[in-house]
Amino acid sequence: MRKFWAFLSLALLVACSTSEREALKAYRSAFAAGDFTEAKALLAKAKLAERPESRLLYLMEEGRLAYALEDFSSAARLFTEAIELSEAQYTKSVTREGSKWLLNDTSGEFFGAPFERSWLFYHQALAFWRLSQSPGLSSEESRRNLYSARAALVAWDSFFQEWQRASEGKSLYQHDLAAKLVAADVHQATGIRTDLAIAQQLNKDAWKIFRRLSPAYASFNQKAASYALEAQEALLGKKDFGSSKELELTPVALQTRRLILGRIARGAKSSAPNWSNLARELGGVEAEELKKLADEKASTLTVLVEGGVIAPREVKEIDLGIKGLASLSKDPKTQAQIAQVGSEVLGLFATNVLGLTPKRPSQVSGYVASRSLMTVAAHEAAIAFEIPVLAPAGGIPELLLVVRNESGAEVHRSALVLASALEDQARLALEEESGQRIVRTGVRVVMKHVTAILAAMAIHKNLSKGEKDNMFAKLAAVGSYVAATKGIAYSERADTRAWQTLPQALLLGEASLPAGKYTLELSRASDSDRPGRSLGQVQLGPERAVFAALLPQL
């Protein structure tokens, strides 16, 4: 009877989990199609609000929906609550686990990957920014929201400082280019002299991030995979990786490079700089290039486009050897159990009787943190378990910003540059995290499998009665082991929970225009002769303006 109720509970859990996943999948599809009202109904159907362990995920998705529906007051409140909860969870998890590299477990609280927690600050800042631009606000209210946006971006930078400390500088996810570029815009928008100086420094910081971190992402570097591998190895060895030769900038990267350097050059022009000294300070740039960029008109409008929807998480199966994983276990009980029968005897039984050879030997050396495990030998007893990965997805198309005046005449056309390759960051961060997960999950799973194998060995010994090829004993042993692995498989399934509606990328455009009312359009470079897609209208005054648009479909 006890087994019946255990089986029933497991079945209900599986059904509940499957129902939630399907509802979230439909929710993501509706959001990606731009049907935010339908997405809101589907998110309610997923019942995240009813599950305490999914509270952070619920706040992320509700906040994103409120932002998409232009309810910026609710969005600001929800993202503020999400940040407070994330910080509380982080403190609790570090205290409980004594671990600086936090990994989700399916059965535990969702606390998000670092890039997900990071982008809470972006969304909080943008919600306050959009509030500051709301019609009917007094100048005092507008300024208060503007400074709240500024504070959120400062907090975003602080988040990265804490993350670098927690990861001991060994994570390649150290900062986000967008954090510096957007913060520079918001500081510049205040018009205060000290903020203008801060904006200049933020742009210089963006240049450092662009040179050091962006080449690890495929959108910026043709040799991104080689660069990332070299960079990860350097970080694990506490070496600098700024002089890598694995560098071949993409056309997208060259556009981003020009935008950042242009901002720095124009910001420096008023102070009559020594261009040679500035070029040496920045590195990788010539003085003549800076002088030419400085002569261009300073932009009066920045356009932020949150493009696409990040790819969903999928499951990848990893096959690893029992013997190698068991040797990493620090659990005395597991070590004693293996010692009692001998690792070779256990391995032979698992291979010959239970048939635990790899389905496809897994090369895990791409996951740097588990490099010592390398490849599973085809003859070794092996177990399989899951890790989450990001599904393959298409790149961001080359897009143009088109601006028209009140008469409909085109007054500006320029490329949108990549401010944050968020999907690239997410994919690399998950691969990096998987290196930690392979060791952590693999050791835990093998402990459960060793117990199940030992139980199967006992059954086989009792039923074989000394007969070498007793088929009944073998079937009973296999049946016992298979029954045990059903529970193991469920308890160790990959955690694919994720912030479903994050943008695929953040794009940025700039234009230098006089005061007036303008219509903004988005056009694909591949069919620029066709009418552009309207982003909306903007009223430019004497101060620099920032216009934000959310486009889940590009």
Side-chain angles (χ1 to χ4, degrees):
M1 181 61 70
R2 185 178 298 173
K3 288 184 178 180
F4 170 76
W5 288 114
F7 177 78
L8 182 60
S9 299
L10 182 63
L12 289 172
L13 282 170
V14 172
C16 180
S17 176
T18 301
S19 174
E20 179 181 311
R21 281 200 303 270
E22 290 303 313
L24 287 175
K25 184 178 179 181
Y27 155 71
R28 181 188 178 281
S29 296
F31 189 97
D35 191 345
F36 304 132
T37 303
E38 174 66 11
K40 191 171 182 64
L42 289 167
L43 182 61
K45 189 176 179 182
K47 299 182 179 178
L48 288 179
E50 299 175 14
R51 300 187 174 91
E53 71 278 7
S54 297
R55 179 67 183 170
L56 178 59
L57 183 56
Y58 168 75
L59 291 171
M60 287 173 165
E61 299 295 3
E62 276 289 330
R64 183 77 167 143
L65 270 176
Y67 180 81
L69 292 165
E70 300 191 355
D71 181 0
F72 301 121
S73 179
S74 293
R77 174 182 55 79
L78 287 161
F79 287 127
T80 299
E81 186 179 346
I83 289 169
E84 291 172 352
L85 175 59
S86 176
E87 290 174 346
Q89 285 180 326
Y90 178 85
T91 302
K92 182 175 68 175
S93 297
V94 169
T95 302
R96 184 179 67 242
E97 298 181 14
S99 172
K100 294 178 181 178
W101 286 73
L102 302 178
L103 308 176
N104 288 340
D105 288 318
T106 313
S107 58
E109 281 183 296
F110 173 85
F111 47 77
F115 63 87
E116 290 169 323
R117 301 198 301 273
S118 157
W119 272 69
L120 284 171
F121 295 96
Y122 166 85
H123 283 89
Q124 183 191 41
L126 263 289
F128 279 122
W129 175 266
R130 300 293 292 274
L131 269 178
S132 74
Q133 297 177 318
S134 299
L137 284 185
S138 67
S139 58
E140 182 182 345
E141 288 176 307
S142 177
R143 203 146 190 88
R144 187 174 64 249
N145 284 310
L146 175 60
Y147 277 97
S148 293
R150 180 175 175 268
L153 290 165
V154 171
W156 194 5
D157 190 68
S158 297
F159 166 84
F160 280 112
Q161 291 177 25
E162 171 58 26
W163 169 242
Q164 288 176 39
R165 185 199 64 77
S167 63
E168 298 177 338
K170 294 181 180 179
S171 171
L172 195 53
Y173 185 66
Q174 295 184 4
H175 222 301
D176 194 308
L177 185 61
K180 299 296 185 181
L181 293 176
V182 176
D185 276 315
V186 172
H187 278 79
Q188 204 158 19
T190 67
I192 299 173
R193 185 185 296 273
T194 53
D195 275 3
L196 294 177
I198 292 171
Q200 176 70 343
Q201 185 57 52
L202 287 166
N203 284 320
K204 287 183 178 180
D205 292 343
W207 173 248
K208 291 176 184 176
I209 292 170
F210 173 79
R211 291 194 71 204
R212 193 167 190 260
L213 301 177
S214 294
Y217 307 123
S219 297
F220 288 103
N221 184 9
Q222 304 277 16
K223 299 180 178 179
S226 300
Y227 183 95
L229 189 59
E230 184 180 297
Q232 286 170 323
E233 290 176 334
L235 287 172
L236 291 174
K238 296 184 178 179
K239 299 175 184 176
D240 185 38
F241 61 89
S243 59
S244 173
K245 295 180 181 178
E246 300 297 330
L247 197 62
E248 190 177 326
L249 294 181
T250 63
V252 168
L254 292 173
Q255 292 171 352
T256 305
R257 178 186 182 279
R258 191 177 194 283
L259 180 139
I260 298 171
L261 288 176
R263 284 185 170 196
I264 295 170
R266 289 188 291 273
K269 187 177 181 181
S270 60
S271 59
N274 182 311
W275 294 110
S276 296
N277 287 344
L278 181 58
R280 277 194 296 272
E281 177 192 343
L282 297 176
V285 58
E286 298 293 330
E288 284 302 314
E289 181 182 9
L290 292 174
K291 280 197 273 187
K292 287 180 182 178
L293 289 170
D295 290 335
E296 295 180 357
K297 288 184 179 180
S299 63
T300 56
L301 171 67
T302 294
V303 177
L304 296 174
V305 177
E306 297 169 29
V309 177
I310 197 167
R313 290 190 196 180
E314 293 182 343
V315 168
K316 179 178 180 180
E317 192 173 82
I318 295 289
D319 280 308
L320 286 177
I322 289 176
K323 186 177 177 181
L325 282 169
S327 69
L328 299 176
S329 174
K330 296 179 181 179
D331 178 57
K333 183 180 178 182
T334 303
Q335 291 174 341
Q337 287 176 318
I338 295 171
Q340 186 177 1
V341 297
S343 60
E344 294 300 329
V345 173
L346 183 142
L348 285 171
F349 180 83
T351 303
N352 297 332
V353 178
L354 301 180
L356 297 183
T357 53
K359 297 174 186 175
R360 50 190 180 280
S362 297
Q363 174 58 266
V364 297
S365 59
Y367 302 105
V368 175
S370 60
R371 223 172 249 288
S372 60
L373 297 178
M374 296 306 286
T375 309
V376 178
H379 62 275
E380 185 180 349
I383 53 144
F385 58 91
E386 300 174 340
I387 60 170
V389 295
L390 215 61
I396 295 289
E398 188 179 347
L399 299 168
L400 303 175
L401 171 66
V402 179
V403 184
R404 300 185 184 278
N405 62 18
E406 289 187 89
S407 302
E410 183 180 311
V411 293
H412 176 84
R413 178 182 290 257
S414 63
L416 282 175
V417 308
L418 192 60
S420 179
L422 182 56
E423 187 169 276
D424 284 357
Q425 290 178 344
R427 183 168 284 107
L428 190 59
L430 281 177
E431 288 178 4
E432 186 177 64
E433 181 186 286
S434 292
Q436 300 286 319
R437 190 180 299 277
I438 286 170
V439 176
R440 170 177 151 158
T441 305
V443 171
R444 186 176 64 237
V445 172
V446 84
M447 288 163 60
K448 297 178 181 180
H449 277 272
V450 165
T451 301
I453 292 168
L454 290 170
M457 286 179 73
I459 291 172
H460 186 270
K461 183 179 179 180
N462 290 335
L463 296 178
S464 64
K465 299 177 182 179
E467 297 176 19
K468 187 175 181 180
D469 297 314
N470 188 311
M471 185 57 67
F472 177 71
K474 181 175 181 177
L475 289 173
V478 171
S480 166
Y481 178 74
V482 168
T485 58
K486 295 296 182 184
I488 296 173
Y490 178 76
S491 67
E492 297 293 346
R493 67 201 187 283
D495 189 358
T496 56
R497 293 176 296 177
W499 190 350
Q500 302 277 339
T501 52
L502 275 173
Q504 186 180 0
L506 181 67
L507 303 163
L508 188 152
E510 291 186 335
S512 180
L513 301 164
K517 190 174 184 180
Y518 298 93
T519 298
L520 308 180
E521 296 177 358
L522 193 67
S523 175
R524 283 178 177 254
S526 57
D527 51 6
S528 57
D529 54 328
R530 296 183 183 181
R533 181 178 173 184
S534 177
L535 295 177
Q537 293 186 324
V538 63
Q539 180 71 51
L540 295 185
E543 296 179 342
R544 183 187 178 97
V546 177
F547 179 92
L550 190 159
L551 290 180
Q553 279 189 326
L554 290 175

